[in-house]
Amino acid sequence: MPATTSRSTIFAFLGPAVISLAVIGIVPLLYAFYTSLYFFNLTKLKNARFIWFENYGSVLTDPVFWEAMGRTFRLLLISLPLQIALGLVIALVLHRPGLGFLRVLTRLSLVLPMATTYAVVGLLGQVMFNQKFGVVNQLIGFLGVEPVNWIGDPFNAFAMIIFLDVWQWTPFVALVLLAGLTTVPGEVEEAARLETKNWWTILRHVQLPFLMPGLVAILILRTADTLKLFDMVFTLTRGGPGSSTELISLMIQRVGFRAFDQGVASAQAIILLIITIILAQLYIKLLYKEV
Amino acid sequence: MAAEPGTSRSLAAQIALMLIIILFCVFPFYWMVTTSLKTQVMALEAPPVWLFEPTFANYVTVLFEDGVLRTLINSLIVAVSTTTLAIMLGLPAAFALARFEFRGKKDLWFWFITNRMISPIVLALPLFLIVRNLGMLDSRITLILIYLTFNLPIVIWICTDQFRSIPYELDEAASLEGASQWRIFRSICVPLAMPGIAVSGIFAFIFSWNELMFALVLTRNNAKTAPAMAVSFMEGYNLPYGKIMATSTLIVIPVLIFALIASKHLVRGLTMGAVK
C-alpha cells in the first residue's frame, strides 16, 4: 500500500460518493430527528410546535408500537428457524456429489424466489391464497382440508405471511449454508466419513464450525430484513385484518402517511434506526476481519 | 437420510428431494404466469382451472390501455440512470478503499453496511417532507437520486473487493513509468475490474427495479414505476387478477434474467461480502 498518496488525491476519489451519500442519506435522517421533536401533523400544520422529546415518550409507552414490534419479532422467531432447518436440508442435498445436471437445475430454481420482486410476492399471495378461487385451498382440498379463509382471518393471515417469507428467503439461507459447506476441507470431510456414516455426527462435529460465520450473517441480516419488511405485506394484507399483520415498517408508514402524524412517525423511525445501527455494528464486529 | 452416498435408495431420496425443492421454488412462479394468461372469468373460476386456452389479452390491455407500458419505461429509465450514476460515483470510491490508507476507513465501511440494513420507511418520512418542500414530488430525477442510498453502498462494496483482487504490482509498474493514480485507475484497474463492475451494476439494477416504498410515497402519476402501478390495481372489490398477474410477470421477467446471470454472486452481494 502506498503511504504517499496525498490527501487531495484521496479526496478526489472518495469525495463525490461520500458527499452525495451524505446529502441523500444523512441529511434526511437529521431532518427526521428534527421532525421527531415537533408536534407535526400534516392535517394540522397550524398547530405545529416544538415539544422536546414528548413524541418519544408517547411512542415508548404506546402499546400499539410495542405490539407491532412484538409481531415483527414473532414473525422472525417463527420463520427464521424454519428457514434455517429447510435451508440446511437443501444445502446438504446440494452438497452431495453426483447428479450434476439436476443439481445445477435445483440451484438455478433457488434463484427464483429470491429474485421475485417483493411487492409481486404479496400480489401473488392474494391470488394463490384467495379463499374461493385460490390454488392453495384447492391443493389442501385434495388432502381433505376444508377451504381456509387465509386473508380475512387474523391468525391465518399471519401464517400466510410466514409461509411467503419462508418461501422467499429459504433459498437465500440455503445458498449461504451451502457456501459454508464448501469451505470444509475435502480431506477433513472424507476422513470423518470413514469414521462414521451418521450424517448428524458429521454435521455437528465437522461441518458446523464452518457454517458458523454464515449462520451469524443469516441471523443479523434476517433480523434487519424483517424490520425492513414492507412491500410483501403491504401488497398482501396492508397490515390487516385489524392490525394482525401490521409489522413495524407498516405501522410507521400508516402513522406517517395515513394518519399524517409525521412527528410521532419520525420518533418511531429514529428508534428503528437505533436498533438498525446496533445490528450493523454487530455485523461488522462479528463478520469482517480485514477492515 | 443416514444411508451412504451411492446406494440406490439414497440416490432416489436425493432425486426426490431435489424435485420437491424445484417444485416448491417454481410453482408460485408458474401460477403467476398461467394466471396472467387467463381471462377474468377463467381467473375467477372456483376451483381454479389448470388446463385452458391461453390468451395474451391481459398483456395487451395492461400495456396499451392501462398505462403499464409507461410505468415500465419509467422503471427502466430510473433503474438504468441510478445504476449508471452509482457506478460513476462508486467506482473511484471503491478504488480509494482498495488502494489507499486513510483515517476513518472503518467508519466509512460501517456507514455503508448501515445503509444496507436501514428500513426504507426511516428515510421515506423525511424525504417526503424535503422533496415536497423542494417541489420535486412525482419526478424521476428524485427517485434516481434517492435510490443511490442503497445502490452506492452495494456498488462500492463489490467493486472494492474486485479492485483488491487486482495485483498491486501492476499499479507499481505503472507508477514507476510516471502514471498518475487517476491514470492507473482508468487505464489499468477499471478494465480489469469489469466483471465486478457488471455484477454490481446488476445488483443496483435489481434493487432499483424492485423498489416499492419510495415509489409509492414520492410518485403520483408522471414518475410512477411499475411496482407502484401493480399495487394500484389492488383497489376495490372484484380485483382484476389476470391483469395484476400480467403486470407482475412483466415486472419479474427482467429481474429474473439478471438474477440468473449473476446467480453465482447472489450470496456475496446479498450479504455485503461477508459470505463468499
Side-chain angles (χ1 to χ4, degrees):
Chain A
M1 288 288 149
T4 50
T5 328
S6 69
R7 291 179 67 147
S8 59
T9 312
I10 294 176
F11 184 78
F13 275 92
L14 268 178
V18 170
I19 292 169
S20 24
L21 203 51
V23 170
I24 50 166
I26 290 188
V27 170
L29 294 181
L30 296 174
Y31 193 70
F33 180 66
Y34 167 84
T35 313
S36 75
L37 301 177
Y38 276 80
F39 173 83
F40 193 80
N41 191 311
L42 288 177
T43 57
K44 301 172 204 149
L45 281 177
K46 281 199 184 111
N47 298 341
R49 61 177 193 280
F50 187 71
I51 53 168
W52 289 103
F53 290 94
E54 233 172 83
N55 285 329
Y56 289 88
S58 52
V59 170
L60 292 173
T61 53
D62 179 9
V64 177
F65 176 78
W66 291 112
E67 275 161 27
M69 213 43 136
R71 217 172 275 131
T72 310
F73 278 96
R74 195 181 324 142
L75 172 65
L76 182 72
L77 289 176
I78 300 173
S79 63
L80 188 59
L82 287 171
Q83 287 162 355
I84 291 177
L86 292 171
L88 191 59
V89 171
I90 297 175
L92 287 171
V93 167
L94 286 176
H95 183 60
R96 286 195 17 172
L99 300 167
F101 176 70
L102 195 57
R103 260 186 25 218
V104 171
L105 210 62
T106 312
R107 268 196 80 133
L108 286 179
S109 72
L110 288 178
V111 172
L112 250 71
M114 283 199 283
T116 307
T117 310
Y118 310 152
V120 168
V121 177
L123 299 174
L124 196 50
Q126 284 259 7
V127 173
M128 294 182 65
F129 283 90
N130 189 289
Q131 187 176 3
K132 253 177 37 210
F133 35 81
V135 69
V136 172
N137 276 350
Q138 185 186 26
L139 290 176
I140 60 173
F142 294 145
L143 304 170
V145 181
E146 288 293 302
V148 175
N149 180 4
W150 292 102
I151 298 170
D153 175 83
F155 180 84
N156 295 339
F158 199 77
M160 176 175 68
I161 302 281
I162 292 170
F163 180 88
L164 288 172
D165 194 61
V166 169
W167 177 74
Q168 186 160 36
W169 292 109
T170 298
F172 166 71
V173 174
L175 290 179
V176 171
L177 294 177
L178 182 62
L181 286 179
T182 53
T183 58
V184 181
E187 59 279 9
V188 174
E189 202 180 321
E190 273 161 40
R193 285 201 193 284
L194 291 178
E195 292 267 328
T196 173
K197 293 206 156 54
N198 189 324
W199 65 276
W200 175 252
T201 316
I202 293 174
L203 176 67
R204 173 79 187 73
H205 295 285
V206 181
Q207 292 167 325
L208 192 63
F210 292 90
L211 292 178
M212 279 324 280
L215 281 170
V216 173
I218 289 166
L219 193 69
I220 300 175
L221 287 177
R222 289 309 306 143
T223 309
D225 286 346
T226 309
L227 288 170
K228 274 168 84 169
L229 184 58
F230 174 83
D231 301 9
M232 182 262 275
V233 185
F234 184 79
T235 53
L236 184 51
T237 64
R238 303 243 159 147
S243 58
S244 57
T245 56
E246 192 175 78
L247 305 178
I248 190 71
S249 289
L250 278 105
M251 187 214 164
I252 302 179
Q253 192 264 356
R254 177 176 59 78
V255 173
F257 293 110
R258 282 186 271 170
F260 301 111
D261 200 336
Q262 293 271 331
V264 169
S266 298
Q268 292 169 334
I270 295 290
I271 295 170
L272 188 58
L273 176 69
I274 293 168
I275 300 175
T276 311
I277 289 176
I278 296 169
L279 283 173
Q281 281 272 19
L282 275 177
Y283 196 71
I284 293 240
K285 286 237 168 72
L286 296 173
L287 291 162
Y288 291 94
K289 307 231 156 55
E290 56 220 86
V291 279
Chain B
M1 278 299 268
E4 61 201 285
T7 66
S8 61
R9 239 188 68 210
S10 87
L11 194 70
Q14 197 184 357
I15 293 175
L17 276 170
M18 283 204 251
L19 290 176
I20 291 171
I21 297 166
I22 295 174
L23 196 67
F24 185 71
C25 291
V26 175
F27 182 75
F29 197 78
Y30 163 82
W31 201 254
M32 173 177 78
V33 176
T34 50
T35 307
S36 77
L37 300 173
K38 290 176 177 174
T39 61
Q40 175 74 352
V41 178
M42 251 190 280
L44 295 184
E45 221 159 307
V49 282
W50 289 64
L51 294 171
F52 59 94
E53 187 121 359
T55 161
F56 283 95
N58 286 322
Y59 288 89
V60 177
T61 322
V62 295
L63 281 174
F64 304 111
E65 283 170 35
D66 298 337
V68 170
L69 182 61
R70 205 167 51 84
T71 62
L72 281 168
I73 293 171
N74 276 341
S75 280
L76 189 70
I77 294 174
V78 169
V80 169
S81 317
T82 188
T83 302
T84 315
L85 199 57
I87 289 177
M88 272 164 40
L89 292 167
L91 263 190
F95 184 75
L97 283 167
R99 288 294 198 248
F100 308 151
E101 281 308 323
F102 53 89
R103 262 208 347 239
K105 204 165 159 176
K106 201 174 173 157
D107 300 317
L108 217 50
W109 208 254
F110 170 62
W111 182 32
F112 294 150
I113 304 282
T114 312
N115 267 304
R116 152 75 174 76
M117 295 186 175
I118 212 167
S119 173
I121 188 65
V122 175
L123 286 169
L125 285 167
L127 280 169
F128 170 74
L129 296 176
I130 294 172
V131 167
R132 199 181 60 142
N133 287 339
L134 294 174
M136 284 177 71
L137 280 179
D138 205 13
S139 131
R140 287 189 291 249
I141 293 173
T142 306
L143 285 186
I144 292 168
L145 293 175
I146 287 171
Y147 286 179
L148 286 177
T149 52
F150 50 85
N151 285 336
L152 209 42
I154 194 85
V155 167
I156 292 176
W157 183 80
I158 295 180
C159 294
T160 303
D161 205 43
Q162 181 76 49
F163 282 132
R164 278 202 190 117
S165 71
I166 297 170
Y168 189 61
E169 290 76 50
L170 291 176
D171 291 38
E172 275 174 338
S175 194
L176 285 177
E177 290 184 20
S180 67
Q181 286 294 349
W182 180 250
R183 174 108 208 197
I184 295 171
F185 167 69
R186 268 201 49 188
S187 313
I188 299 174
C189 291
V190 168
L192 288 172
M194 270 310 169
I197 298 172
V199 170
S200 72
I202 288 179
F203 270 102
F205 181 89
I206 292 179
F207 287 147
S208 321
W209 180 269
N210 280 351
E211 205 285 327
L212 177 67
M213 170 88 80
F214 293 124
L216 216 52
V217 170
L218 300 171
T219 69
R220 294 291 171 268
N221 197 14
N222 275 334
K224 198 179 225 175
T225 63
M229 181 73 198
V231 173
S232 63
F233 277 124
M234 304 298 294
E235 268 136 37
Y237 285 98
N238 250 343
L239 297 176
Y241 285 109
K243 283 200 213 172
I244 294 171
M245 288 297 99
T247 311
S248 299
T249 308
L250 290 168
I251 295 171
V252 171
I253 294 289
V255 182
L256 201 61
I257 293 169
F258 278 126
L260 287 172
I261 294 173
S263 66
K264 280 213 174 95
H265 308 276
L266 225 49
V267 166
R268 220 159 55 100
L270 286 171
T271 58
M272 293 288 277
V275 177
K276 308 220 165 164

